[in-house]
Amino acid sequence: PTFLLKSEENLSLMAFLQNWAEKIDRTLLGDCGYVNLFLDKMQRIYQLQPIKKNDSNNIIIKFIRYVNEHYMENISLESMAKVFSYSVGRCSTLFNEGVGMSFKQYLNCVRMQAMKTLLKEKKFTNMEIMEMCGYNSPVTFYRHYKILKEKK
C-alpha cells in the first residue's frame, strides 16, 4: 500500500517495535499497553479510519457460513442466491468483494480442505470421500486430489 512508502514514519514505528521487543521484563499488561500505543501511533501517522460496519458484512458472514455448512451438498452460486433472496449477479459481487475470491474458488477451497482431512484419516475410499466432500464429478475430484498431492 502507498501509505507504507512513508519511510521516515516507518522507521519511527520500527524503532518503537524494536524498543518493545528488547524489553526484558515484559508482562501481559505491558504488552497490551505497547500494542495500544503502537496502534494509536499508526492511526495518527497514516490517518487510518475504522472500517464502517454495514449490512454487506453480515451477509458475507452468512454466505461463508452457508458454504461451510453445505459444501458436501450440490450447491452453486445460483442455489445460494436463491436461499438468501439475492440475484445471482448481486450475490456474486458481494461474495467476490467480501471474501476476495469467487464463490466457486471458495467452495473448492472448503471441499479440498475437507478432502485433505478425510484423506489423513484413511477410513474411506476415494469414491466415499468424493461424495462426502460434495464432488459430483470424479474428474473434478481427481483434479483437486492431484493438486493436493502436488502440494505435499
Side-chain angles (χ1 to χ4, degrees), residues 5-22:
L5 298 176
K6 299 179 177 181
S7 60
E8 287 182 33
E9 289 88 345
N10 290 340
L11 289 175
S12 92
L13 285 172
M14 291 307 294
F16 183 84
L17 288 174
Q18 186 68 35
N19 182 35
W20 174 26
E22 292 172 355

Side-chain angles (χ1 to χ4, degrees), residues 81-95:
K82 191 173 184 178
V83 166
F84 292 100
S85 301
Y86 279 91
S87 72
V88 174
R90 181 69 178 139
C91 194
S92 176
T93 300
L94 286 170
F95 200 93

Side-chain angles (χ1 to χ4, degrees), residues 31-75:
D31 285 349
C32 289
Y34 265 99
V35 168
N36 282 331
L37 289 171
F38 177 75
L39 293 174
D40 183 59
K41 193 172 184 130
M42 278 192 69
Q43 187 174 16
R44 279 186 281 115
I45 290 172
Y46 299 116
Q47 300 167 351
L48 302 174
Q49 301 299 317
I51 295 174
K52 294 177 182 152
K53 292 186 178 182
N54 57 35
D55 290 338
S56 66
N57 292 344
N58 293 330
I59 195 64
I60 300 305
I61 292 167
K62 289 178 183 178
F63 286 170
I64 291 170
R65 189 174 296 133
Y66 176 80
V67 173
N68 290 345
E69 291 174 359
H70 296 278
Y71 70 88
M72 69 291 298
E73 301 167 17
N74 186 21
I75 62 172

